[in-house]
């Protein structure tokens, strides 16, 4: 099949997926339609509907859009079938039923932000950083019945610096994923829909990447070593943000998000109670299970994000506070 004859349906929702859709458009692939999530209510009262980033891009470029509430909705399935796609490309979307992923002649492949089979799940970028990984990557694979288990087509690695946060890795994998998508489609065209695709080795599925909730974004100072707390903070920064509770001298507690921290050289002496706050002239520290961690950027509930110096200037005697 020639490139211009290949009919592609793209499925995705957030900004991460836009870069791949843009690569398809910029490389003159025939994207016949886009599927994304329904618009979401935003604002204080939810009275305004906001379109997903993928929809915004698609509309700007004159691409037809479908936004099904349910992927098995017969009307949606019929509309999708009318696009008569040879191939479907999925990036950061949702689980598809077989009636959808098996529809095209050449199947459906997904661009996943990890080196499968490791880090299957909804939040692979976050969990790779939280777990202190020094390398991640992007995988393209054919969809099948289970999440992130299909035959691997291509992979590309990506290094994670020790101080990198989610934003850095997200941006890097977003670009890498777009490149890998184009290479994968070139493979599919060159092999008439039958690129080399290898089954995943489940024995290498060491880590999972489940969806993030408020509960697993809380910092437990009593159980985490300083490096683990540092990795958790950068693995959740800037979104959704690692959090703790700031306990005031009168016992009141206020949510505190921490966006940036730095490993602290040993300063000697005994380690105080985990969660204890301390300072010097320009730095804020918190005691972890084994050592101090320097806090560089944070945000109290109802306040703007600030650096540690600004926080210290407004808080008073920090030694009377703790985080729990």
């Amino acid at each position: 099949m020639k490139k211009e004859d290949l009919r592609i349906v793209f499925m995705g929702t957030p900004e991460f997926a836009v870069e791949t859709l843009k690569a398809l458009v910029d490389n003159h692939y025939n994207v016949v339609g886009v599927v994304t999530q329904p618009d979401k209510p935003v604002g204080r009262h939810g009275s305004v509907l906001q379109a997903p980033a993928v929809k915004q891009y698609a509309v700007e470029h004159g691409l037809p859009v479908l936004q099904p509430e349910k992927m098995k909705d017969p009307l949606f399935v019929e509309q999708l079938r009318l696009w008569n796609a040879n191939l479907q490309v999925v990036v950061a979307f949702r689980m598809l039923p077989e009636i959808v992923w098996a529809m095209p002649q050449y199947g459906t492949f997904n661009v996943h932000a990890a080196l499968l089979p490791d880090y299957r799940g909804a939040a692979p970028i976050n969990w790779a950083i939280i777990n202190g990984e020094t390398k991640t990557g992007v995988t393209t694979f054919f969809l099948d019945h289970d999440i992130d288990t299909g035959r691997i087509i291509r992979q590309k690695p990506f290094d994670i610096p020790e101080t990198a946060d989610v934003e850095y890795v997200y941006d890097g994998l977003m670009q890498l994923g777009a490149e890998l998508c184009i290479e994968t489609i070139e493979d599919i065209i060159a092999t008439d829909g039958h690129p080399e695709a290898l089954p995943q080795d489940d024995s290498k599925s060491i880590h999972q990447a489940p969806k993030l909730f408020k509960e697993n974004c809380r910092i437990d100072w009593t159980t985490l070593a300083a490096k683990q707390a540092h990795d958790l903070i950068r693995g959740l920064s800037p979104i959704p943000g690692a959090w703790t509770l700031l306990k005031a001298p009168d016992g009141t507690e206020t949510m505190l998000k921490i966006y940036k921290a730095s490993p602290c050289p040993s300063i000697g002496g005994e380690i105080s109670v985990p969660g204890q706050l301390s300072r010097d002239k320009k730095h804020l520290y918190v005691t972890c299970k084994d050592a101090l961690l320097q806090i560089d950027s944070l945000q109290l509930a109802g306040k703007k994000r600030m650096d540690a110096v600004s926080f210290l200037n407004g808080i008073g005697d920090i030694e009377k506070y703790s985080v729990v």
Side-chain angles (χ1 to χ4, degrees):
M1 174 176 284
K2 296 179 181 179
K3 173 180 176 179
E4 53 269 25
D5 295 329
L6 184 67
R7 297 174 61 84
I8 298 172
V9 166
F10 182 86
M11 300 184 182
T13 299
E15 179 192 11
F16 188 89
V18 173
E19 192 65 28
T20 300
L21 177 56
K22 181 177 182 297
L24 292 172
V25 172
D26 289 349
N27 284 276
H28 308 292
Y29 281 96
N30 183 21
V31 179
V32 297
V34 171
V35 181
T36 189
Q37 297 275 39
D39 296 358
K40 286 190 174 182
V42 295
R44 188 169 184 179
H45 302 291
S47 57
V48 178
L49 289 177
Q50 183 176 48
V54 162
K55 178 185 177 180
Q56 294 178 37
Y57 179 88
V59 171
E60 289 171 2
H61 290 79
L63 301 174
V65 177
L66 292 176
Q67 296 176 271
E69 292 280 353
K70 297 180 179 179
M71 299 303 292
K72 290 184 179 180
D73 180 349
L75 178 59
F76 161 68
V77 172
E78 182 56 30
Q79 290 173 319
L80 183 64
R81 198 182 306 278
L82 289 174
W83 280 342
N84 194 29
N86 307 109
L87 177 70
Q88 291 175 159
V89 178
V90 179
V91 185
F93 191 43
R94 58 199 286 190
M95 188 172 180
L96 303 181
E98 183 174 2
I99 193 172
V100 171
W101 59 256
M103 187 182 296
Q105 173 187 2
Y106 296 151
T108 302
F109 77 81
N110 183 283
V111 180
H112 185 75
L115 296 175
L116 292 173
D118 217 8
Y119 291 101
R120 293 169 175 165
I125 299 176
N126 302 91
W127 285 107
I129 301 172
I130 290 169
N131 290 333
E133 302 286 1
T134 58
K135 188 179 292 292
T136 184
V138 180
T139 302
T140 53
F141 68 97
F142 283 118
L143 265 62
D144 63 12
H145 293 92
D146 298 315
I147 296 177
D148 300 336
T149 60
R151 294 174 296 129
I152 292 173
I153 309 167
R154 276 182 174 256
Q155 291 187 313
K156 278 192 174 185
F158 181 85
D159 292 331
I160 305 176
E162 289 184 0
T163 58
D165 61 12
V166 168
E167 188 171 34
Y168 174 89
V169 180
Y170 182 101
D171 289 347
L173 294 185
M174 183 168 63
Q175 299 290 335
L176 197 64
E179 295 171 11
L180 195 64
C181 175
I182 298 301
E183 293 175 7
T184 299
I185 294 176
E186 289 173 351
D187 288 346
I188 290 171
I189 292 173
T191 59
D192 194 26
H194 298 90
E196 182 179 10
L198 302 176
Q200 295 187 33
D201 182 353
D202 287 347
S203 68
K204 296 181 179 178
S205 179
I206 302 169
H207 307 93
Q208 295 299 304
K211 187 175 180 180
L212 294 168
F213 296 96
K214 183 178 178 181
E215 293 73 21
N216 53 17
C217 294
R218 184 173 185 176
I219 307 168
D220 186 346
W221 305 103
T222 63
T223 62
L224 294 182
K227 183 183 184 308
Q228 292 173 312
H230 179 229
D231 290 340
L232 178 64
I233 290 166
R234 66 193 184 94
L236 297 171
S237 179
I239 296 173
W243 66 279
T244 185
L245 292 175
L246 179 68
K247 189 172 183 178
D250 63 2
T252 58
E253 296 176 344
T254 307
M255 178 178 281
L256 177 70
K257 283 195 173 184
I258 301 177
Y259 294 101
K260 186 178 180 182
S262 302
C264 221
S266 174
I267 58 175
E270 293 293 325
I271 296 297
S272 58
V273 177
Q276 181 61 51
L277 295 172
S278 57
R279 64 172 296 173
D280 57 25
K281 288 185 179 180
K282 294 185 177 180
H283 301 105
L284 170 65
Y285 306 101
V286 60
T287 302
C288 298
K289 181 181 177 181
D290 64 336
L292 296 179
L293 183 68
Q294 179 178 306
I295 306 302
D296 301 316
S297 177
L298 64 170
Q299 182 180 18
L300 273 169
K303 304 290 185 180
K304 293 182 178 180
R305 180 172 171 174
M306 65 186 80
D307 58 29
V309 174
S310 300
F311 174 77
L312 289 169
N313 288 341
I315 201 73
D317 190 355
I318 194 65
E319 284 78 10
K320 294 182 179 180
Y321 290 78
S322 62
V323 284
V324 295

